[in-house]
């Protein structure tokens, strides 16, 4: 499989976590994010930025999730980057905040790139963060 980084990831380099779509479970995803970023030897400030970005992306999705939904998180690890894709089933007519919103400004400021897709009753936010070269 080819990731957003253009590099190939093996199945061992992909972690899937599914938690209830409830703010009380976001700590699990923040902890997993920090652990995987540390494995890639991200700097401490990069790890914290990514944790905040994942938290913000999840908050955006929780606002439009169906009742009793599950939040699916897919972490893809490559040599110098971590891609996080968070997906939830959405309520009919749900839309993500506009790219000009404060939430999107946060995501794009804290990651290398951020994108979203919505359709067929699901929404996904993808975050790509590359490790700085000066670790």
């Amino acid at each position: 499989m080819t990731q957003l980084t253009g590099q190939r990831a093996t199945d061992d380099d992909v972690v899937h976590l599914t938690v209830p779509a409830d703010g009380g479970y976001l700590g699990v995803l923040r902890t997993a994010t920090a652990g995987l970023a540390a494995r890639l030897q991200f700097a401490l400030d990069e790890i914290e930025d990514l944790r905040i970005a994942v938290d913000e992306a999840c908050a955006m999705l929780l606002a439009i999730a169906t009742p009793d939904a599950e939040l699916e998180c897919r972490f893809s690890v490559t040599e110098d980057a971590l891609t996080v894709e968070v997906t939830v089933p959405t309520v009919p007519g749900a839309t993500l905040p506009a790219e000009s919103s404060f939430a999107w400004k946060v995501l794009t400021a804290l990651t290398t790139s951020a994108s979203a897709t919505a359709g067929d009753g699901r929404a996904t936010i993808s975050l790509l963060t590359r490790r700085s070269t000066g670790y």
Side-chain angles (χ1 to χ4, degrees):
M1 71 187 74
T2 301
Q3 303 306 309
L4 293 176
T5 61
Q7 296 180 15
R8 194 135 172 92
T10 66
D11 288 338
D12 291 342
D13 296 324
V14 177
V15 175
H16 295 270
L17 286 176
T18 302
V19 298
D22 179 292
Y25 292 92
L26 296 185
V28 173
L29 299 180
R30 287 191 301 268
T31 301
T33 300
L36 291 169
R39 179 176 172 222
L40 285 170
Q41 299 178 338
F42 277 39
L44 289 177
D45 59 334
E46 292 172 317
I47 293 171
E48 189 59 24
D49 286 351
L50 188 53
R51 282 171 36 106
I52 293 168
V54 167
D55 197 54
E56 187 67 32
C58 290
M60 290 168 61
L61 292 173
L62 290 180
I64 59 172
T66 59
D68 300 321
E70 290 186 328
L71 191 64
E72 298 172 21
C73 193
R74 181 178 187 272
F75 300 90
S76 300
V77 180
T78 61
E79 186 177 311
D80 69 342
L82 180 60
T83 301
V84 182
E85 296 175 337
V86 187
T87 303
V88 297
T90 59
V91 295
T95 59
L96 288 164
E99 289 187 16
S100 61
S101 70
F102 178 75
W104 275 104
K105 300 281 186 212
V106 170
L107 291 183
T108 56
L110 297 176
T111 61
T112 305
S113 66
S115 63
T117 58
D120 296 327
R122 297 185 72 71
T124 300
I125 296 177
S126 299
L127 308 171
L128 168 66
T129 301
R130 292 188 188 279
R131 182 185 63 221
S132 66
T133 55
Y135 69 97

